[in-house]
Amino acid sequence: MGLLIKGGEIVTAECRSQSDIYIEDETVSLIGRGLHVPPDTEAIDATGKLIFPGFIDPHVHIHLPFMATFAKDTHSTASKAALIGGTTTFIEMCCPSRNEDALAGYELWKQKAEGSSACDYAFHMAVTRWDAKTEAQLREIVRDGTASFKIFLAYKNFFGVNDEEMFETLKLAAELGVITTAHCENAELVAQLQQRLLAEGKTGPEWHEPSRPEAVETEGTSRFATFLEQTGAAGYVVHLSCAPALGAAVAAKLRGVRLYVESVLPHLLLDRSYAEREGVEGMKHVMSPPLRDKRNLAVLWNALRAGLIDTVGTDHCPFDLQQKLLGAGNFTQIPNGIPGIEDRVNLMYTHGVKRGALNIHRFVDVLSTRPAKIFGLFPRKGTIAAGSDADLVIYDTDYRGTISVATQHSANDYNGFEGFAIEGRPSVVMVRGRVQVRDGVFVGEPGRGRMLRREPQYGARKAAQGEMTHGG
Ligand code: URP
Ligand code: ZN
Ligand code: ZN
């Protein structure tokens, strides 16, 4: 049976229009005014509301064994939190450690999500070591529809890869036409600086940032870009946090390197002073790359507006207060990460669109359309068009609220954005035509989410040819 959404204003990355939407068989079937639909069609009244394409979070951690513990969410809790906040698809980092088998890890992550996630999902496959067996397994994983890799230049001896492993990974990525996402911090410098600070008795969370200064991220970003250039692979820098690293990424883009840039919610709204708070208050805000000096925030927003930053994710990574306290007396042991999957859309709408920092079409672009295009989900996801999945967010711009741990749905006992105002929230959220959320309450089918299989889309390009690209 069909479903009609009437009276709302559709807003996509390109345009806005007062149109009705008719949905059949999980997809958008017709868009227009005065649509002729069967007389008994169920209707949702969206009068006075905006209708956005379902938002896509391109960077989340849900199942994550990391720093001697596990992130708190399950696929059930994280996906419901995502949906309540308007995110209808997430791409999770599948991260077996360097001592684990890549394929066994991939199967484990898939098993955790299947039947548990209430929204659609895909994976970035982490490459945490390189050998013949891993290479063969990666080929199989790409054939299974996971068309993006993840490498960590940080986290020495756990997730981190060395330069040789990065080169081999990128060579394979170029051959297979998959994109490689990368955490860009120089692992050796971090390890050395951490030891130096600890030896000086500097043990609190306020020393996390000085142990991974901007130069460490800039070096990683620049090195990743150089390796992309020499292998002809396509790449995506995750959670870029500061002006000098952005400079390195933009310089690479200008050289014709196929490089996309993501920033994440914490780096756009929080600064290092949060991590400099006393005790566990500071620990809540320890993530990597770290929260930076305030001057970087305006640069990131300007870059977002100008199109130099392509996407905004969350890097959702919830560790609770007890876990954060594992690093009491030694900042290097504080589990890294800040949750945010539920709050990205509302905070970006409020602090971006409402405050005049981001045009509403660019807002849709960075939170939905660009992630869909970069990661091979477009036009199935990331837009509202005939034939696209009916993943829709009917948005109430009159809503007023405050972010709080007391009302959040992620399985964590703090929220890094506590007290932030929101001016707008999803009224109705649907996944492939099924209403999953109404006004902050999950009302849908708990296991509705499907794994999205993607085709490689980054055909081999001659290495280091220095040609300009237009984002393709
Ligand atoms: O601090 C962070 N970002 N934790 C999650 C793991 C990662 O590096 O993305
Ligand atoms: Zn990372
Ligand atoms: Zn991450």
Side-chain angles (χ1 to χ4, degrees):
M1 218 188 37
L3 176 65
L4 182 68
I5 301 173
K6 54 180 193 184
E9 184 177 8
I10 297 176
V11 183
T12 67
E14 286 85 33
C15 56
R16 57 198 295 169
S17 72
Q18 200 74 45
S19 301
D20 299 341
I21 302 172
Y22 182 58
I23 296 161
E24 276 179 308
D25 298 331
E26 304 196 348
T27 58
V28 172
S29 168
L30 299 168
I31 300 172
R33 290 191 193 179
L35 298 175
H36 294 287
V37 301
D40 57 344
T41 299
E42 187 192 336
I44 294 176
D45 183 5
T47 305
K49 307 228 167 37
L50 303 178
I51 308 178
F52 297 123
F55 294 98
I56 300 171
D57 192 334
H59 182 171
V60 307
H61 302 272
I62 298 171
H63 175 61
L64 184 68
F66 185 42
M67 298 187 73
T69 187
F70 289 83
K72 292 305 285 187
D73 268 320
T74 62
H75 287 80
S76 173
T77 57
S79 63
K80 286 176 188 159
L83 284 166
I84 287 166
T87 291
T88 54
T89 296
F90 56 74
I91 313 184
E92 183 183 3
M93 300 294 173
C94 171
C95 293
S97 78
R98 136 172 226 111
N99 302 320
E100 287 166 321
D101 183 81
L103 192 57
Y106 182 62
E107 293 304 334
L108 174 69
W109 258 260
K110 278 189 1 182
Q111 190 196 317
K112 296 244 172 221
E114 197 177 347
S116 172
S117 179
C119 65
D120 286 350
Y121 57 93
F123 297 103
H124 300 299
M125 184 64 210
V127 182
T128 51
R129 68 155 183 251
W130 188 265
D131 51 36
K133 185 174 172 206
T134 305
E135 180 182 342
Q137 292 181 335
L138 291 170
R139 290 177 185 277
E140 194 176 332
I141 288 164
V142 172
R143 278 197 297 275
D144 188 52
T146 288
S148 47
F149 293 155
K150 167 73 182 281
I151 54 174
F152 294 87
L153 276 56
Y155 308 133
K156 197 177 166 188
N157 300 328
F158 192 67
F159 291 143
V161 289
N162 61 33
D163 283 357
E164 185 182 356
E165 291 167 321
M166 168 157 63
F167 189 78
E168 294 296 342
T169 304
L170 294 179
K171 248 178 29 187
L172 179 67
E175 181 201 320
L176 299 179
V178 305
I179 187 166
T180 301
T181 68
H183 175 136
C184 297
E185 289 180 299
N186 184 307
E188 189 56 41
L189 278 174
V190 172
Q192 295 293 341
L193 295 182
Q194 284 178 334
Q195 291 322 308
R196 188 158 83 194
L197 288 164
L198 289 177
E200 291 168 358
K202 296 170 174 165
T203 58
E206 70 275 25
W207 297 105
H208 178 69
E209 201 280 341
S211 75
R212 346 173 60 104
E214 294 175 11
V216 161
E217 183 184 349
T218 307
E219 190 281 336
T221 306
S222 171
R223 181 157 43 98
F224 177 54
T226 303
F227 275 62
L228 292 173
E229 200 166 17
Q230 297 304 322
T231 54
Y236 175 101
V237 178
V238 298
H239 50 39
L240 183 135
S241 75
C242 61
L246 179 67
V250 171
K253 280 180 187 249
L254 294 176
R255 296 200 303 275
V257 179
R258 275 186 298 180
L259 179 65
Y260 302 94
V261 176
E262 169 198 273
S263 282
V264 292
L265 195 59
H267 291 132
L268 286 160
L269 293 179
L270 308 172
D271 61 59
R272 62 183 287 174
S273 67
Y274 284 83
E276 288 167 351
R277 292 174 176 180
E278 202 55 42
V280 78
E281 285 305 312
M283 295 177 194
K284 288 179 183 176
H285 295 97
V286 166
M287 66 176 293
S288 296
L291 297 178
R292 297 297 190 191
D293 190 280
K294 214 178 184 135
R295 68 185 153 70
N296 288 289
L297 273 64
V299 175
L300 297 185
W301 280 100
N302 292 338
L304 203 53
R305 207 166 37 234
L308 299 173
I309 293 175
D310 296 277
T311 66
V312 175
T314 57
D315 196 9
H316 177 76
C317 189
F319 293 108
D320 68 16
L321 298 181
Q322 204 182 343
Q323 291 172 310
K324 289 284 184 182
L325 285 165
L326 293 170
N330 181 346
F331 70 87
T332 69
Q333 306 298 313
I334 302 169
N336 287 198
I338 302 179
I341 200 167
E342 187 169 343
D343 305 317
R344 180 184 63 136
V345 172
N346 295 333
L347 286 172
M348 289 300 292
Y349 181 77
T350 305
H351 297 270
V353 179
K354 292 283 292 200
R355 304 277 188 270
L358 206 58
N359 167 291
I360 196 161
H361 301 292
R362 188 83 189 112
F363 161 78
V364 176
D365 201 25
V366 300
L367 267 63
S368 178
T369 311
R370 289 296 286 160
K373 288 184 174 172
I374 292 169
F375 294 116
L377 296 169
F378 189 85
R380 180 173 171 193
K381 308 287 190 190
T383 192
I384 301 176
S388 295
D389 281 358
D391 294 354
L392 302 171
V393 177
I394 302 177
Y395 203 74
D396 178 1
T397 57
D398 293 328
Y399 178 83
R400 296 290 177 270
T402 305
I403 303 282
S404 171
V405 63
T407 49
Q408 74 178 10
H409 298 83
S410 169
N412 202 13
D413 59 1
Y414 81 94
N415 187 308
F417 303 95
E418 187 76 31
F420 272 65
I422 51 169
E423 299 176 14
R425 79 163 179 191
S427 173
V428 173
V429 181
M430 60 178 68
V431 175
R432 286 177 281 104
R434 162 91 197 226
V435 173
Q436 295 287 76
V437 167
R438 279 188 194 274
D439 299 320
V441 180
F442 182 78
V443 294
E445 189 185 321
R448 180 164 185 76
R450 279 194 205 137
M451 176 175 158
L452 302 167
R453 291 186 158 76
R454 301 170 288 134
E455 291 294 323
Q457 62 177 22
Y458 293 91
R461 171 177 288 181
K462 212 170 92 208
Q465 62 188 7
E467 144 197 335
M468 290 296 288
T469 64
H470 300 278

